[in-house]
Structure formats: structure tokens, C-alpha cells
Amino acid sequence: MCNERKKIARVMAGALVAAGITIAAVPGWSQQPAPTPHPSGILGATDHRVPIAPDAWPWSSIGRINVVQGPRHRSYCTGTLIGPRHVLTAAHCLFDTRLNTWVKPDQVHFVAGQALSDKFKAHSIAVSILTAPGFDFSVEQRPRYDQIRADMIARDWAIITLQDAINLKPIPLRSFHRADLPNAGETGEIARAGYSADRPFLLSIHRGCSAKIDVPRPQSLVHRCDSMPGDSGSPILLLQGETASVIGIHIVSMQDFEPGVGYTARGARGVSASAFEAAASDSTRAR
């Protein structure tokens, strides 16, 4: 999720306790992590994220969404190349809470395959941003300054159109409905990959996690993939042999908070690909 904004660190860390939603109640998902002083998306006793070099597809087509509004006002999230000039990410990453409005496209940079030592595969600035109809992240619409409304999570996606075409293979989208992945009928491996704030120039991946589609609402999902701030917008992937597809994106980790004890991660929520599949198809077809 987004970082480097002190006032909204909790939002980008994913503290969400609104609407009484807890993933701890989902059967079979009972393992709980130890409390931490700051919000965390590590969902069990072990952090399953491991570094992976973005040298080959699909990892090379995942990158950082850098929002640069001035030398002292920067943030970033994770995005995925879904077309030569189109990148998928979380909409809230592109909202300036300080000014209570959307950032300008030319303040948004996509850096594909970001690695250490300032190495990367490709870069382009944005020329336009498409968000879901009805998505509202304005301060006055939040349950609390550091929260996103629960009913907005399934709309929290954005498709960025880039100025320049990226010469990398996009990762295709694949939508599911009312699915618990992986399962016997849909073999493969669920993974989430992103640029976490604790390793901002190093792509990290949690392989072998799980996702439930259309839970708790249609076009949303819950997942058990570890994450940290910086990972908002990161792809939830279905890996099957040499193929990979984006089945959704990570939005927010869900926290319980107990004064004097700390935060305890209870699960994570995101957007299913069915929410943005049609918009992505229209955007990439229009170029």
C-alpha cells in the first residue's frame, strides 16, 4: 500500500475494522499472528514473502506506481502491466488525501521490473486514469480518516494509460465467480507479488496462498497472502505451469487493534478481476 505519507500511513497500511468484517471468522483460516505496534498484513506466525528477481515474465511486468507531487510529497503502490500502455492498480493509490482530490496523471510514473541499484525494465508517465464509477475515497466519505468504506473496496481499482508503450508481455486477466482457489477443479497456485514498504526496491512474492472470490460481496475477494504497506494494487495471480493470470488485486489488510497490545492482522481484502475486466478490455482495445 502507499507509503511516505505520514498522516495517512494507516490507510495505506490497511487498517480496516469497519462494518464488523473479520476474516478470522472464515472456517479454516484461524491461525493468527502476534500483535505488532503498526498495522501489518502478515497473516500468520511466519512471513511467507520471499524476494524474486523481476528478470522474467510475469515478474518483469509487475512494477511500482510512483506518485511524485513534489520533493517532499511522494508515495508509491504496486501495479501490473495488462496491456502495452495500460497498468492496473488500486484507485486509492492515486488519491491525494492532503488535497482531498485525485492526483494529476503526469504525476504518476510506472516503473516495470524495479530492482535494486536503480535497475528496471521500463518506465513511462501516465496520460490518463480510469476509476470505477461511484468510487469515492474523499475524506468526508471515510468511516475514519485512516479507513476506506467497506462498500468501496470492490470499486477500488484504477487503470492507468501510459504515454509510452512498454515492450514487455502483459499479464492477462481472468475472472472467476463464487470460487475458492485453488481447488480440485482449478489446479494451480495462488500468489501475490508486490513492492512492500519494508523492501521498496525488491519484488517480493508469497506463493501458495489462497483466495475466495465474491466474498464478502460480488466482485470482491478475500485472500490469505501476506502483504505490507506498498502492496496496494499488487496482483493476486493464478499460476498454472508456464502461464499466469491476474484474478484480482490486493487492497487492504484487516486489523484488530487493542490499546496497549497493538494491531493483529485478521485477513486481507481485494477486488476480483470481474470488477474491472470489461473496462480493461475496452481500454486496451482503444489503445
Side-chain angles (χ1 to χ4, degrees):
M1 302 188 74
C2 297
N3 71 346
E4 298 180 53
R5 295 182 186 177
K6 186 174 181 180
K7 289 185 178 180
I8 58 171
R10 285 184 175 180
V11 171
M12 304 318 170
L16 179 66
V17 293
I21 300 167
T22 61
I23 300 218
V26 178
W29 289 9
S30 58
Q31 184 187 25
Q32 297 299 327
T36 59
H38 303 287
S40 165
I42 307 305
L43 302 177
T46 301
D47 183 351
H48 294 90
R49 298 171 303 146
V50 296
I52 188 167
D55 295 335
W57 186 87
W59 320 119
S60 55
S61 294
I62 300 170
R64 282 179 42 138
I65 304 290
N66 295 327
V67 180
V68 183
Q69 297 170 269
R72 293 177 175 267
H73 195 44
R74 297 168 178 246
S75 61
Y76 84 87
C77 286
T78 301
T80 305
L81 191 71
I82 59 171
R85 294 181 57 227
H86 295 90
V87 176
L88 174 69
T89 192
H92 74 253
C93 298
L94 308 174
F95 193 88
D96 184 349
T97 294
R98 180 178 60 99
L99 299 178
N100 203 25
T101 190
W102 295 100
V103 302
K104 298 176 181 178
D106 62 4
Q107 296 172 323
V108 178
H109 299 246
F110 178 61
V111 183
Q114 176 74 65
L116 296 173
S117 302
D118 293 325
K119 296 180 180 179
F120 56 90
K121 293 294 185 181
H123 163 265
S124 179
I125 64 170
V127 293
S128 66
I129 298 168
L130 174 67
T131 58
F135 179 72
D136 192 343
F137 195 52
S138 59
V139 173
E140 55 269 24
Q141 290 297 320
R142 302 179 193 178
R144 206 174 66 192
Y145 188 79
D146 60 351
Q147 293 179 354
I148 180 173
R149 267 173 39 195
D151 64 314
M152 286 292 157
I153 293 177
R155 303 177 188 178
D156 192 356
W157 57 265
I159 297 172
I160 299 168
T161 300
L162 303 174
Q163 175 177 277
D164 306 306
I166 301 291
N167 188 27
L168 293 169
K169 181 182 177 181
I171 306 178
L173 306 181
R174 184 177 178 188
S175 62
F176 288 88
H177 300 278
R178 297 177 296 280
D180 189 348
L181 300 172
N183 57 49
E186 193 63 57
T187 59
E189 184 179 35
I190 298 298
R192 190 207 59 76
Y195 288 89
S196 306
D198 57 345
R199 46 188 77 165
F201 300 102
L202 191 65
L203 185 65
S204 298
I205 180 174
H206 178 181
R207 303 183 71 136
C209 43
S210 59
K212 297 178 184 290
I213 310 298
D214 292 333
V215 177
R217 292 178 171 86
Q219 298 190 325
S220 66
L221 61 80
V222 295
H223 69 83
R224 293 292 295 180
C225 305
D226 289 338
S227 65
M228 288 291 282
D231 287 320
S232 274
S234 59
I236 307 297
L237 301 164
L238 176 61
L239 307 177
Q240 296 175 304
E242 299 300 315
T243 69
S245 52
V246 177
I247 65 167
I249 58 174
H250 167 71
I251 296 299
V252 63
S253 61
M254 300 170 61
Q255 312 286 327
D256 285 346
F257 176 73
E258 184 177 349
V261 176
Y263 293 90
T264 303
R266 297 302 187 189
R269 286 187 60 182
V271 187
S272 167
S274 63
F276 45 76
E277 186 177 44
S281 177
D282 291 343
S283 297
T284 54
R285 190 166 51 243
R287 301 287 176 176

